[in-house]
Amino acid sequence: MKTLTVIPVFQLLIFLPVLANATDQCDVDSMAKIGRAIANSDQEKRVAHIRLSEKANKTLTQIQELQVLESQIRADDVVHQNKILDLAQRCGIPNGNLINNPFLDAALVVALHAPLEYELAIYPYLQSATKIGDLSTIALEKLERRIGYWQRMKP
């Protein structure tokens, strides 16, 4: 279990310089680096969680590791959501330069794991990106279906 407490700190040390050292986070390359860092961080922990949760007859230690991972995923999700929405607002999405850019992929992945309120906040940016061709309509439709599902489930 000690490795679980060391790995997130190590990952954070890798992730933060990408965010902090970008002189102009709104340029295409910086946004791509940020997008890759967010997507990698997001998916790595989710894959680890899935692998561990699929094990039959979990030990107490494994159950505790799952709880730690779930907590880390939730905390990371909030950080990722805030970063993406901040860049969308500050840098302007769409800007016509993000076709096939990992930032939009990360924005979509993060939105698909987010609560409805965040999905609704990021949706106009992704919708605009789709209208000018920076994001595929298929990608946007995934988010639209998810938003529709949550809106129907809301009391």
Side-chain angles (χ1 to χ4, degrees):
M1 186 134 144
K2 287 184 182 181
T3 55
L4 283 178
T5 57
V6 174
I7 290 174
V9 171
F10 178 72
Q11 288 174 342
L12 187 60
L13 293 175
I14 291 172
F15 183 64
L16 286 179
V18 171
L19 300 178
N21 292 333
T23 54
D24 179 11
Q25 292 181 330
C26 292
D27 70 87
V28 173
D29 291 336
S30 293
M31 290 181 80
K33 286 179 187 175
I34 291 166
R36 276 191 293 277
I38 288 172
N40 289 340
S41 172
D42 179 87
Q43 294 303 296
E44 184 177 302
K45 286 186 182 147
R46 281 182 162 75
V47 167
H49 183 273
I50 289 168
R51 286 188 179 141
L52 189 54
S53 64
E54 287 177 343
K55 288 185 179 182
N57 304 320
K58 291 175 203 52
T59 64
L60 179 58
T61 302
Q62 290 171 326
I63 292 169
Q64 291 169 335
E65 288 174 6
L66 271 172
Q67 292 169 340
V68 168
L69 273 171
E70 289 165 2
S71 177
Q72 291 170 348
I73 288 169
R74 281 191 301 274
D76 286 354
D77 283 351
V78 171
V79 170
H80 296 159
Q81 291 163 17
N82 290 336
K83 185 63 184 176
I84 287 173
L85 196 53
D86 172 63
L87 285 173
Q89 293 167 341
R90 281 192 306 111
C91 301
I93 292 178
N95 63 22
N97 296 317
L98 296 176
I99 297 171
N100 297 322
N101 190 299
F103 179 79
L104 287 177
D105 295 336
L108 181 65
V109 166
V110 167
L112 292 172
H113 297 148
L116 177 60
E117 295 75 23
Y118 179 81
E119 292 172 346
L120 293 172
I122 198 67
Y123 178 79
Y125 297 101
L126 297 180
Q127 182 183 39
S128 295
T130 302
K131 285 180 182 175
I132 66 164
D134 278 356
L135 186 67
S136 77
T137 55
I138 293 169
L140 186 66
E141 287 170 357
K142 289 179 186 178
L143 182 58
E144 289 172 341
R145 283 191 301 274
R146 184 165 165 85
I147 289 171
Y149 170 81
W150 287 119
Q151 287 177 331
R152 286 188 302 277
M153 298 302 289
K154 215 173 183 182

